[in-house]
Amino acid sequence: MAKANARKVEQAVRAAWQPRVKKRVRRDAEKNGFTLHIAGTFGFSAAAGSTDDPRRCSITQRMPGEAAQALYAARDAGADQAEREQIPADALGEHCFRQGGRARCLDVGLNDIAWMDLEL
């Protein structure tokens, strides 16, 4: 009897605790951003005369809260895998490849992901 009661208490605590933790993590990521660790093949398209050959890169980049907001919104809206993968590609394009106003016409595509990890 005690084991059954303990199990019920544990289940109730987990049911109440987990949503609050997820909500706090989401709020913090949307406010403070996150670190993206990614290895993949990035494709580029830019002005004539520049190279657009895909490049295999491993990148660790601090991403802004707006990228987290976009990822959560896409997930909540039921976006497919390709749509969700485009969000970090766009964010990396902005914050890594076009930083400081350079390469404004550069479009970045994430052609292949070898691995990816988000650090919240």
Side-chain angles (χ1 to χ4, degrees):
M1 183 78 159
K3 280 187 177 185
N5 287 337
R7 192 170 26 253
K8 287 179 184 178
V9 168
E10 181 180 349
Q11 289 171 345
V13 167
R14 285 186 187 274
W17 173 77
Q18 195 62 27
R20 288 195 307 259
V21 170
K22 288 179 181 180
K23 186 176 181 178
R24 186 184 75 231
V25 167
R26 179 177 180 160
R27 184 185 64 239
D28 290 349
E30 289 179 337
K31 179 181 176 190
N32 303 317
F34 61 95
T35 301
L36 174 65
H37 306 277
I38 190 167
T41 303
F42 293 83
F44 305 91
S45 61
S50 65
T51 181
D52 60 355
D53 294 336
R55 297 178 184 122
R56 189 105 169 127
C57 299
S58 294
I59 298 172
T60 295
Q61 178 70 36
R62 186 75 187 159
M63 304 304 291
E66 293 83 11
Q69 292 168 3
L71 284 168
Y72 278 113
R75 185 199 63 188
D76 294 347
D80 66 19
Q81 185 72 24
E83 293 170 313
R84 288 180 289 159
E85 288 175 358
Q86 189 59 44
I87 294 167
D90 291 342
L92 283 170
E94 187 59 39
H95 296 282
C96 192
F97 298 104
R98 291 188 297 265
Q99 189 176 42
R102 62 189 166 105
R104 288 189 181 273
C105 61
L106 181 68
D107 289 324
V108 179
L110 186 51
N111 300 335
D112 175 45
I113 297 176
W115 58 265
M116 181 172 73
D117 187 32
L118 303 175
E119 187 178 328
L120 302 171

